[in-house]
């Protein structure tokens, strides 16, 4: 009987490891997992995350990070795994050994100029409006490019984004044809091609040519991870995560 391949689609931050701020107070930091842009320790694994990682990484034929990190931020992850395929920048790019796959680049090419203009206009609108909506918070706006492709507009605040701020972000996103992903302190406005789910479908079906005997396991912590996790046969989520709490509420 054909064994088939074990393919792991995995989110990284807050799934396989977490920053010092995000770890539980009583958690022991057993393994450095990522550094910041200056090379200083940033994220760690707990005992449980380390055991899970050892279990899956030792058995998987392919380990595919599916992450909001850019390709250069993925390089700051210190976990040891084959650096082959990856879905980075919230799904804007599908890479192989750090470079955009040519077939994916061809899909992006007709949309890159429009995305660059839309992100720039959203940046201008929010630069003017956010100080009025969040007068007591500091925030940063960054137009992110990855491997010369515009991937999203990043918004990071020093405190919780208010309902009014979320409404403003949603309005600006709709005005410029972008999609909004937001959590407590951070948000991203993304062009249509920035989609983890479609990037994973492309990798599984068109690149790896998924077979019936293959087993796909997906790991994620956020509600925004659920679309890409639907491409798997089985899903794994941390019990302190956003997606777990949403499932618990549905079960009550």
């Amino acid at each position: 009987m054909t064994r088939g391949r074990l393919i792991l689609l995995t989110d990284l931050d807050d799934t396989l490891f977490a920053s010092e701020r995000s770890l539980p107070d009583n958690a022991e930091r057993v393994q450095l997992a990522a550094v910041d842009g200056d090379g200083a320790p940033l994220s760690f694994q707990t005992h449980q995350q380390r055991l899970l990682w050892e279990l899956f990484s030792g058995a998987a034929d392919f380990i595919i990070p599916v992450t909001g990190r850019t390709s250069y931020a993925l390089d700051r992850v210190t976990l040891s795994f084959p650096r082959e395929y990856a879905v980075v920048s919230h799904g804007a790019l599908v890479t192989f050994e750090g470079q955009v796959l040519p077939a994916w680049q061809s899909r992006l090419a007709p949309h890159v100029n429009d995305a660059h203009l839309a992100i720039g206009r959203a940046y201008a609108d929010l630069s003017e409006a956010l100080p009025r909506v969040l007068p007591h918070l500091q925030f940063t706006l960054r137009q992110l490019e990855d491997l010369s492709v515009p991937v999203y507009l990043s918004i990071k605040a020093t405190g919780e984004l208010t309902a009014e701020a979320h409404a403003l972000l949603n309005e600006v996103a709709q005005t410029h044809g972008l999609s909004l992903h937001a959590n407590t302190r951070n948000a991203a406005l993304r062009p249509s091609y920035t989609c983890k789910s479609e990037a994973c479908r492309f990798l599984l079906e068109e690149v790896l040519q998924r077979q019936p005997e293959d087993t796909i396991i997906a790991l994620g912590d956020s509600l925004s991870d659920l679309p890409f996790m639907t491409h798997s046969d089985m899903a794994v989520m941390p019990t302190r995560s956003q997606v777990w709490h949403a499932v618990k509420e549905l079960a009550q």
Side-chain angles (χ1 to χ4, degrees):
M1 183 176 68
T2 303
R3 166 183 173 265
R5 300 167 296 180
L6 176 59
I7 301 172
L8 190 68
L9 304 173
T10 182
D11 178 50
L12 298 176
D13 296 83
D14 296 321
T15 297
L16 289 180
F17 53 79
S19 66
E20 194 79 48
R21 186 180 67 184
S22 299
L23 285 167
D25 292 337
N26 61 348
E28 184 179 355
R29 285 72 167 154
V30 298
Q31 177 72 40
L32 177 66
V35 297
D36 65 17
D38 297 319
L42 177 66
S43 298
F44 302 86
Q45 286 186 313
T46 64
H47 281 290
Q48 293 78 17
Q49 288 169 325
R50 185 63 189 170
L51 181 60
L52 182 71
W53 172 244
E54 290 176 349
L55 177 68
F56 282 133
S57 63
D61 295 284
F62 290 97
I63 301 172
I64 301 171
V66 184
T67 178
R69 286 175 173 260
T70 58
S71 61
Y72 49 88
L74 180 60
D75 289 339
R76 300 174 193 151
V77 175
T78 59
L79 295 181
S80 177
F81 60 91
R83 302 299 173 110
E84 296 179 314
Y85 297 106
V87 173
V88 297
S89 290
H90 290 291
L93 300 182
V94 179
T95 63
F96 179 76
E97 295 183 345
Q99 298 300 314
V100 183
L101 281 172
W104 189 257
Q105 186 77 58
S106 297
R107 291 167 62 107
L108 296 183
H111 309 289
V112 166
N113 287 339
D114 287 344
H116 182 79
L117 290 172
I119 290 172
R121 289 165 179 160
Y123 177 91
D125 287 352
L126 290 174
S127 294
E128 186 207 2
L130 271 177
R132 297 197 304 268
V133 174
L134 297 173
H136 305 301
L137 292 181
Q138 293 182 328
F139 61 89
T140 58
L141 290 173
R142 293 178 62 203
Q143 301 179 68
L144 289 178
E145 291 193 358
D146 193 0
L147 300 174
S148 301
V149 175
V151 291
Y152 58 93
L153 173 61
S154 168
I155 302 98
K156 294 188 176 182
T158 55
E160 185 171 342
L161 295 171
T162 63
E164 187 179 3
H166 280 281
L168 171 64
L169 292 170
N170 190 58
E171 178 184 351
V172 170
Q174 290 186 2
T175 297
H176 299 292
L178 302 169
S179 63
L180 172 65
H181 167 64
N183 55 32
T184 305
R185 295 173 178 236
N186 305 323
L189 272 63
R190 307 180 296 201
S192 60
Y193 57 72
T194 301
C195 176
K196 289 181 180 179
S197 178
E198 175 56 22
C200 287
R201 187 211 62 78
F202 168 83
L203 255 181
L204 291 174
E205 305 298 335
E206 300 185 35
V207 178
L208 297 179
Q209 296 182 342
R210 179 181 187 172
Q211 300 300 310
E213 300 84 8
D214 292 338
T215 299
I216 319 295
I217 298 179
L219 285 75
D221 73 292
S222 169
L223 289 173
S224 65
D225 292 328
L226 284 176
F228 92 76
M229 295 171 76
T230 63
H231 296 293
S232 69
D233 299 298
M234 302 176 191
V236 178
M237 65 193 82
T239 53
R240 296 178 64 251
S241 66
Q242 181 188 48
V243 67
W244 173 257
H245 290 305
V247 170
K248 278 184 64 180
E249 287 183 11
L250 287 174
Q252 291 176 353

